[in-house]
Amino acid sequence: MNEITVNLHIHTTYSDGTGSHQDLIQAALQTQVDAIIATDHNVRVQGLEGYYGDEERSVLLLVGEETHDRTRDPQKNHLLIFGMDETMVDKAKDPQTLIEAVRKGGGLSFIAHPIDPAAPAVDQPNISWVDWDVNGYTGIELWNAFSEFKSLLKSKLHAIFYAYCPQRIARGPFQETLNRWDSLTSTGKRITAVGGSDAHALQASMGPLQRTIFPYRFHFQGVNTHLLIPHPLRGNINQDKEMIWQAFREGHAFIGYDLPRTSKGFRYKAHGKNETVIMGDEISAKNGVTLQITLPNRAECHLIKDGKLLKHWEDREICSHTTTVPGVYRVESYLYYKGKKRGWIYSNPIYVRP
């Protein structure tokens, strides 16, 4: 399998971002991401998808949409949509209708910022997802970098501090979001988890202080989704795009916080008697299964089964566990950066079935 780094959930001047698609491309070319997915609110921008750069370095720009019911106050139920050729805003009033329309159209849908708390100090409302009785969506945005920033803004002083020290923000996905995901997958559903930057490059001011919150380049170095695809990107937009969408569908992905240290090279596999699978896949528990974890560098590693810590390793690169017990097994890894233990890697599960 080949690995690519994707930054998703990005806004431009077509909605509430401050940069153009060309600004996104220039920022991406200065980082290690291979693809970016722009998702403006309630609009699917046409005619921009493709490869940009030169022979030495190129980046793939894909365009999706973040859709929500614009008549609802306060705003809730934002859905990230990939793989559709037109806007889906006319279906946004009813989340289940919207999800079903995306599924029937061959697209993918991800519940955006499932938990997105209010930040009264900077007049930001709670825009969490609320209609959890829906089904048929591809996955959830497990880690949203901008929602995490909002959660830390207990006062205007906090806003100033984190605006000037953004490298101190990230800790990991909200525990409530992790619990929700584990609860969903434990019922037998296959729910792909992704990480999004929710980048806007907002221009903020407070008295004489002015700051961009946060530059696109900074976001592209932070919370990314890493995909495992069957062969390298070949420069054919239609073929490469479908390969990327399929990796999302199958959950062949992990979330990496790449600012302190690249998460590229992480691998999580399950070896059975007659087959080997990767994260996102199913495998039979019959005759036993060995779960093998390979980290890019020595770090703390947790194996989570059905939402509970099963095994813990310190300062390891290779970890393994053998089981005959069915369950949903996923990996978390942590490292220290700027004086705090921070989430580094969150894998999609391997589903060990009876």
Side-chain angles (χ1 to χ4, degrees):
M1 300 296 283
N2 295 270
E3 179 181 345
I4 62 169
T5 304
V6 180
N7 192 279
L8 57 89
H9 196 164
I10 312 165
H11 298 281
T12 75
T13 51
Y14 277 87
S15 57
D16 56 351
T18 66
S20 66
H21 287 86
Q22 190 59 42
D23 291 330
L24 305 187
I25 292 162
Q26 291 305 313
L29 287 169
Q30 297 174 51
T31 67
Q32 296 302 306
V33 298
D34 300 292
I36 53 177
I37 308 176
T39 49
D40 280 301
H41 292 284
N42 295 318
V43 60
R44 203 270 182 200
V45 184
Q46 302 289 338
L48 293 174
E49 290 190 330
Y51 283 93
Y52 295 84
D54 53 36
E55 293 181 358
E56 293 185 5
R57 170 88 173 110
S58 66
V59 65
L60 174 60
L61 169 66
L62 297 175
V63 178
E65 180 178 15
E66 182 179 6
T67 302
H68 62 278
D69 180 6
R70 291 175 293 190
T71 67
R72 180 169 182 161
D73 187 22
Q75 292 295 322
K76 302 285 184 180
N77 295 338
H78 289 222
L79 192 73
L80 295 174
I81 299 172
F82 306 153
M84 300 297 289
D85 293 330
E86 58 185 1
T87 180
M88 302 298 291
V89 66
D90 61 320
K91 306 287 195 307
K93 197 168 188 66
D94 179 66
Q96 186 61 66
T97 299
L98 173 61
I99 290 168
E100 187 64 16
V102 173
R103 187 188 67 79
K104 287 182 177 179
L108 300 89
S109 59
F110 296 85
I111 291 175
H113 40 69
I115 306 299
D116 194 306
V122 290
D123 300 319
Q124 290 294 311
N126 183 315
I127 54 172
S128 303
W129 186 275
V130 291
D131 290 346
W132 284 105
D133 57 341
V134 297
N135 57 72
Y137 51 92
T138 310
I140 66 171
E141 188 181 34
L142 188 72
W143 191 351
N144 178 295
F146 202 77
S147 297
E148 186 177 19
F149 168 62
K150 276 180 58 182
S151 74
L152 299 173
L153 305 184
K154 309 303 182 185
S155 70
K156 285 184 168 58
L157 285 177
H158 286 91
I160 294 170
F161 175 78
Y162 288 112
Y164 281 86
C165 302
Q167 70 276 13
R168 296 185 179 273
I169 294 171
R171 274 76 159 173
F174 296 137
Q175 188 60 50
E176 187 177 350
T177 308
L178 285 164
N179 293 345
R180 174 72 69 172
W181 182 41
D182 287 329
S183 176
L184 289 166
T185 57
S186 67
T187 66
K189 296 179 179 179
R190 292 174 64 173
I191 306 291
T192 298
V194 298
S197 59
D198 205 352
H200 295 75
L202 296 175
Q203 305 302 312
S205 62
M206 190 176 294
L209 301 176
Q210 296 185 349
R211 194 75 172 169
T212 300
I213 316 277
F214 298 99
Y216 293 119
R217 181 179 177 182
F218 174 79
H219 271 300
F220 298 167
Q221 295 171 304
V223 177
N224 290 308
T225 300
H226 294 246
L227 297 179
L228 298 181
I229 55 179
H231 54 74
L233 298 175
R234 294 173 173 172
N236 181 305
I237 177 65
N238 292 325
Q239 292 179 4
D240 290 348
K241 184 164 58 171
E242 184 49 44
M243 187 167 55
I244 287 171
W245 296 156
Q246 190 61 24
F248 277 119
R249 287 188 190 97
E250 295 176 349
H252 293 168
F254 66 90
I255 301 163
Y257 177 45
D258 293 320
L259 183 65
R261 184 179 296 165
T262 180
S263 60
K264 190 168 187 176
F266 169 78
R267 294 293 184 270
Y268 175 40
K269 299 179 180 180
H271 304 279
K273 182 179 180 181
N274 298 311
E275 63 177 331
T276 295
V277 302
I278 63 173
M279 60 194 110
D281 291 339
E282 297 182 349
I283 191 170
S284 170
K286 187 177 181 180
N287 299 314
V289 172
T290 297
L291 302 170
Q292 185 174 36
I293 304 158
T294 304
L295 298 171
N297 293 93
R298 302 180 76 88
E300 181 179 337
C301 185
H302 295 179
L303 181 63
I304 312 293
K305 175 184 178 291
D306 299 331
K308 294 183 172 55
L309 179 64
L310 177 65
K311 203 158 184 180
H312 168 256
W313 298 270
E314 292 279 357
D315 194 31
R316 295 280 289 272
E317 286 186 32
I318 305 294
C319 311
S320 65
H321 175 74
T322 299
T323 185
T324 57
V325 181
V328 181
Y329 294 80
R330 62 177 181 84
V331 175
E332 298 177 0
S333 182
Y334 298 84
L335 47 71
Y336 280 87
Y337 178 63
K338 300 293 182 182
K340 284 187 179 292
K341 186 169 85 168
R342 303 178 190 274
W344 183 30
I345 294 168
Y346 294 82
S347 81
N348 270 280
I350 290 174
Y351 302 88
V352 180
R353 302 304 195 194

